[in-house]
Amino acid sequence: MARARDVLRRTQEVDGSWKGDYGGPLFLSPMYVAGLYVMGRAPEARVRDGMLAHLRAHQNADGGWGLDEESPSLVFTTVLNYVALRLLGVAAHDGDLLRARAWFLPRGGALGSSSWGKFILALLGLYAYDGLAPLPPEAWLLPRALPFHPSRLWCHCRMVYLPMGWLYGRRARAAETPLLAELRRELYPMPYAEVDWEAARARVAPSDAYTPRSVWLRAVNRVLGLHERIHSKRLRARALDECLELIRGEDEATHHLCIGPINKVLNAVVWHLARPEGPEVRAHLERLPDYLQHCPDGVKLNGYNSSQLWDTAFAVQSLVASGQADGARDTLARAGRFLEAEQVLEDSPCAARNHRHPSRGGWPFSTRAHGWPISDCTAEAVKACLLLEPLGLNRVPHARLAQAVGFILSLQNRDGGWATYERQRGPRWLERFNPSDVFADIMVDASFVECTSACVQALLAWSRAHPEARVARPIARGLDFLRRTQRADGSWEGSWGVCFSYGTWFAVTGLVAGGMKPGDPVLRRAAAFLQAHQREDGSWSETIQSCRERRWVDGPTGHAVTTSWALMTLVATGNGDSVAAQRGGAWLRARQGADGRWPPEPMAGVFNRSCAIHYDTYLRVFPPWALSLAMHSDCIRAAGVGS
Ligand code: LAN
């Protein structure tokens, strides 16, 4: 435990946070390269060489690239990474690129790509706009009250489709170059001039069709296709203005970081076309390096500007829970200062105009400058501050914690649960119109077990410190949501970590914090579920296939992170002294290296059911936390006072 603590101490940044690699997806770097190319720029030599190395390092044995570093090849990411390598200067006869072409040409080449790939290609002039499903910017001019107004979409989805709508409405396209002409010859199994673009709209390779296009979506696309032929020029101009204003709003609210890497790149391209060399372009270019990650295998675009707040809040909880606070006071003090510095203290500018929920009091996933606070990030930060309080290390005044609690309360949904950044705005049926092909659940920000549990726990911790706080009813409704969402097999499905072990850990800790007792059938079923999935060697292992297939899928070996979540859940259900927990604890202990670390393993983070993402601190935070909880209940048993 002391060695694990020292690893955390050694890896802390001077600002008190933990900051690491937040990579995994393989569609981000090529979007960055393509975006810069449209802007007539190239990455500096060090970034270019690092990216070349990284792109090459993650080519699959079959010649393609996966949606993320661990997944099987998709046409989307294979074509985009191929194009990125070419734009970065690799020749078409390069061996890796020949293998890539041999993989994607039989699958239709660019025609087989899922929709976002085609969009980026259209921007480069490598795919005709007629071959895209329409993205009319006029949608933003519809009355806000309509259930399908874009402002009702999940913020990540609407912030990607906002610049896409502007670029689509303008049929924006990179300046022609000889290289682009060559690429048009390389990406298709037939001559470019012979492509049937109308038919291309409906085409998507089986590898890329995770979420099949519904009949509803196809019908809407047909209607929008007609609209594209007859649309009014004046209305389009107004719609483009509206989009540009909203893009400006997003840029200003996020100090040009933007909510994520995709709209970061697309917004920069928009400004390059709307006001070439203008102040907006400069401001965007200054903040682009925030997304770059220099890692042992090269350079890549991270999935967010960082995961610092999230990792720091968990590191604090792990250190305190594992009884290491005394030996880590300086570390915790620095972490406390980071938490203090990163709380969002004001609402975003013109919040209502920009369809933004009030932000004051919340914490984001990364840094305050990012400007988009999140329900569970706020909750984990509140929990961490309240743990630091008795140690004399909390720096956030209670008036500000009360604002954080107010922010959490403002986000509770009618169903009693919590979504990510906002209250649920759109009806569930909007998911039937998901046009992304490769992702699921991107349309609506609806309640999640993880966010709900975190918020309930934060409210409980707050009400213990402030018995006068009026949070009993929100807590009860949150607990009820958790109870209702248990599956018949005793588990909960996670959405942001892999997968049932993650969801079940959150649900059970929330319910137990809320007073549920060990004998409760809900907890008994959860424990039985986990015991049924324990491996011969005492470990647990879950893979991203669990998320994709929506059933528990074991990996070939045990995972320390999965085992930690399972172990913490068993302890919380009152089974800390069970044989299962002892065997899990023994496996976890034996797996720690002499350097205090747990060896690397597959990615434990996920989004939108399909894409894996790497959480750099999970292997430093969860194993010691789980082990200490397990040891603690072992001691209770040894003293003869346990269950
Ligand atoms: C994240 C990162 C943080 C994560 C948690 C806070 C851990 C989670 O509990 C709630 C959801 C959230 C905020 C989350 C949502 C999806 C994100 C933003 C990401 C996984 C980081 C990258 C991903 C984003 C959607 C990637 C871009 C792709 C699109 C489909 C738009």
Side-chain angles (χ1 to χ4, degrees):
M1 213 66 80
R3 275 185 287 141
R5 175 200 64 203
D6 288 339
V7 172
L8 270 178
R9 293 185 56 172
R10 278 201 307 275
T11 53
Q12 189 181 29
E13 303 284 318
V14 276
D15 66 6
S17 75
W18 282 264
K19 184 173 202 257
D21 188 321
Y22 195 55
L26 288 182
F27 50 91
L28 301 174
S29 296
M31 287 189 183
Y32 165 85
V33 174
L36 279 189
Y37 196 84
V38 178
M39 296 172 76
R41 293 168 193 271
E44 55 179 274
R46 203 163 69 100
V47 173
R48 183 200 58 212
D49 294 345
M51 269 195 178
L52 282 173
H54 190 261
L55 298 183
R56 285 198 197 263
H58 294 286
Q59 187 173 19
N60 286 336
D62 64 10
W65 278 264
L67 188 61
D68 59 65
E69 291 171 14
E70 292 167 4
S71 63
S73 304
L74 260 62
V75 180
F76 168 33
T77 34
T78 301
V79 169
L80 282 194
N81 280 294
Y82 177 93
V83 169
L85 284 167
R86 293 283 283 124
L87 297 180
L88 291 175
V90 180
H93 59 257
D94 172 275
D96 290 341
L97 292 193
L98 287 176
R99 287 195 302 128
R101 271 212 308 281
W103 191 86
F104 69 64
L105 286 178
R107 290 168 173 82
L111 300 172
S113 168
S114 47
S115 57
W116 292 11
K118 290 178 174 177
F119 182 86
I120 298 293
L121 295 176
L123 206 51
L124 286 165
L126 302 177
Y127 188 91
Y129 271 97
D130 282 343
L132 292 181
L135 296 169
E138 287 82 1
W140 290 93
L141 298 177
L142 292 168
R144 260 204 218 199
L146 288 174
F148 47 85
H149 186 272
S151 67
R152 295 179 183 272
L153 296 173
W154 183 40
C155 53
H156 274 282
C157 183
R158 74 173 185 263
M159 282 301 153
V160 166
Y161 281 105
L162 172 64
M164 278 189 179
W166 190 90
L167 294 161
Y168 178 86
R170 290 255 307 224
R171 302 293 191 272
R173 201 181 145 159
E176 183 57 13
T177 65
L179 176 57
L180 293 176
E182 281 176 36
L183 275 166
R184 280 195 293 272
R185 284 194 291 274
E186 294 161 25
L187 297 182
Y188 296 85
M190 68 285 277
Y192 190 75
E194 286 171 23
V195 175
D196 176 353
W197 294 110
E198 195 81 33
R201 277 188 205 182
R203 203 161 154 186
V204 58
S207 56
D208 287 41
Y210 177 67
T211 299
R213 298 177 193 170
S214 67
V215 283
W216 306 93
L217 175 63
R218 280 181 280 152
V220 165
N221 281 342
R222 271 197 298 278
V223 175
L224 295 179
L226 289 179
H227 167 260
E228 245 352 85
R229 285 197 209 150
I230 54 162
H231 73 267
S232 130
K233 291 229 165 55
R234 281 218 355 248
L235 199 62
R236 170 112 334 159
R238 252 188 64 206
L240 292 175
D241 285 346
E242 171 67 7
C243 289
L244 201 59
E245 271 319 293
L246 293 174
I247 289 170
R248 183 188 295 286
E250 160 73 348
D251 290 345
E252 286 176 358
T254 62
H255 302 87
H256 290 85
L257 282 167
C258 299
I259 194 170
I262 302 180
N263 77 324
K264 167 69 190 160
V265 169
L266 294 180
N267 287 9
V269 171
V270 163
W271 286 117
H272 165 77
L273 299 167
R275 293 186 69 185
E277 306 301 324
E280 296 87 355
V281 175
R282 249 191 336 267
H284 263 291
L285 290 174
E286 261 167 40
R287 280 298 201 167
L288 256 180
D290 286 62
Y291 277 94
L292 290 179
Q293 180 72 37
H294 296 258
C295 45
D297 53 358
V299 178
K300 64 186 158 194
L301 210 66
N302 266 339
Y304 220 82
N305 66 318
S306 81
S307 57
Q308 274 162 288
L309 192 283
W310 184 249
D311 290 325
T312 306
F314 273 131
V316 167
Q317 296 183 61
S318 169
L319 284 168
V320 175
S322 55
Q324 298 297 321
D326 284 344
R329 274 193 73 81
D330 50 343
T331 309
L332 290 171
R334 274 196 294 271
R337 281 197 287 276
F338 183 79
L339 295 175
E340 181 201 8
E342 303 304 326
Q343 187 180 15
V344 176
L345 298 178
E346 57 288 304
D347 292 335
S348 57
C350 313
R353 166 77 182 90
N354 289 300
H355 310 293
R356 290 289 309 268
H357 188 88
S359 313
R360 206 159 69 112
W363 270 275
F365 181 64
S366 51
T367 53
R368 180 179 171 185
H370 177 276
W372 279 89
I374 303 171
S375 66
D376 59 354
C377 299
T378 306
E380 298 300 347
V382 168
K383 283 164 64 189
C385 288
L386 292 175
L387 281 179
L388 291 174
E389 179 98 352
L391 303 169
L393 299 175
N394 171 38
R395 314 247 315 190
V396 182
H398 275 220
R400 267 169 55 180
L401 287 177
Q403 280 177 6
V405 168
F407 173 76
I408 292 174
L409 291 174
S410 77
L411 285 177
Q412 189 168 27
N413 280 327
R414 270 209 290 263
D415 63 11
W418 274 265
T420 61
Y421 296 75
E422 289 159 346
R423 280 168 58 100
Q424 180 173 344
R425 295 181 175 188
R428 281 274 193 177
W429 52 256
L430 279 180
E431 292 300 344
R432 293 187 200 153
F433 298 89
N434 174 355
S436 72
D437 303 314
V438 293
F439 303 115
D441 299 345
I442 64 163
M443 303 294 278
V444 194
D445 198 359
S447 298
F448 296 100
V449 55
E450 298 98 314
C451 301
T452 304
S453 166
C455 290
V456 165
Q457 290 180 57
L459 294 179
L460 282 161
W462 178 250
S463 67
R464 273 194 296 277
H466 292 270
E468 76 287 357
R470 300 189 18 197
V471 291
R473 192 153 157 70
I475 291 173
R477 291 173 56 224
L479 290 170
D480 190 50
F481 176 87
L482 293 177
R483 236 177 273 120
R484 280 197 328 264
T485 45
Q486 187 175 30
R487 292 153 46 104
D489 62 9
S491 71
W492 282 262
E493 187 177 17
S495 292
W496 310 109
V498 174
C499 175
F500 297 96
S501 49
Y502 187 68
T504 306
W505 172 57
F506 268 103
V508 164
T509 19
L511 289 168
V512 170
M516 193 176 270
K517 293 282 173 285
D520 195 292
V522 167
L523 299 184
R524 279 223 298 272
R525 283 193 289 138
F529 170 82
L530 287 170
Q531 287 177 355
H533 287 286
Q534 189 171 27
R535 297 157 69 85
E536 290 271 286
D537 62 4
S539 68
W540 281 266
S541 167
E542 232 192 318
T543 68
I544 176 99
Q545 275 318 105
S546 279
C547 310
R548 296 188 183 136
E549 294 177 25
R550 309 192 74 163
R551 62 181 185 94
W552 183 295
V553 181
D554 244 79
T557 58
H559 296 161
V561 172
T562 316
T563 303
S564 302
W565 291 332
L567 206 51
M568 290 196 281
T569 312
L570 284 183
V571 172
T573 57
N575 291 284
D577 58 353
S578 61
V579 177
Q582 281 168 26
R583 290 175 56 233
W587 183 88
L588 202 52
R589 215 164 18 233
R591 198 163 163 87
Q592 187 181 24
D595 60 355
R597 289 178 179 265
W598 275 263
E601 55 187 38
M603 291 185 268
V606 66
F607 57 89
N608 305 117
R609 303 242 170 268
S610 59
C611 191
I613 192 154
H614 173 72
Y615 283 78
D616 213 39
T617 56
Y618 280 10
L619 272 169
R620 278 172 269 162
V621 161
F622 290 117
W625 187 349
L627 270 180
S628 62
L629 290 184
M631 274 163 35
H632 184 66
S633 49
D634 246 18
C635 295
I636 295 178
R637 186 178 52 99
V641 292
S643 48

